[in-house]
Amino acid sequence: FDPRHRVGTHRYGFPKTGPHRLRFLLQSVSDLRETLRARGSTLVVRKGKPEDVVHDLITQLGSVTVVVFHEEVKE
């Protein structure tokens, strides 16, 4: 979870992620984690800037050969 999603938007100052959307995201991630566990897998969830979190995970795991990501579309 990127904490920057809780700050105001550029044009109107509303949070990018308000309380209802945050609750939905947390419930969705929790459900995904449980679904993966039931299938013998897991889900890594972290809070922080993605560029820092991904770097830290790669360092911790040590055997990462590929990282795939997508960039958020901006208006």
Side-chain angles (χ1 to χ4, degrees), residues 2 11 15 20-21 24 27-29 32 37 39 47 49-50 56 59 73-74:
D2 188 338
R11 293 192 179 148
H20 301 292
R21 183 175 183 194
F24 172 77
Q27 290 172 343
S28 298
V29 168
L32 176 59
R37 278 189 184 150
R39 296 173 187 249
K47 177 183 174 187
K49 293 180 181 177
D56 293 345
T59 301
V73 176
K74 298 182 183 186

Side-chain angles (χ1 to χ4, degrees), residues 38-53:
R39 296 173 187 249
S41 190
T42 190
L43 178 67
V44 175
V45 179
R46 297 287 187 269
K47 177 183 174 187
K49 293 180 181 177
E51 57 271 24
D52 297 332
V53 171

Side-chain angles (χ1 to χ4, degrees), residues 4-75:
R4 294 173 290 196
H5 287 184
R6 300 277 297 163
V7 298
T9 58
H10 299 292
R11 293 192 179 148
Y12 305 107
F14 294 113
K16 289 182 179 182
T17 305
H20 301 292
R21 183 175 183 194
L22 180 60
R23 182 174 33 253
F24 172 77
L25 289 171
L26 292 173
Q27 290 172 343
S28 298
V29 168
S30 178
D31 183 63
L32 176 59
R33 177 180 268 166
E34 291 307 312
T35 300
L36 290 170
R37 278 189 184 150
R39 296 173 187 249
S41 190
T42 190
L43 178 67
V44 175
V45 179
R46 297 287 187 269
K47 177 183 174 187
K49 293 180 181 177
E51 57 271 24
D52 297 332
V53 171
V54 171
H55 177 269
D56 293 345
L57 283 172
I58 291 170
T59 301
Q60 289 173 9
L61 295 172
S63 62
V64 176
T65 57
V66 176
V67 176
V68 179
F69 65 94
H70 79 281
E71 184 175 349
E72 182 177 354
V73 176
K74 298 182 183 186
E75 297 177 29

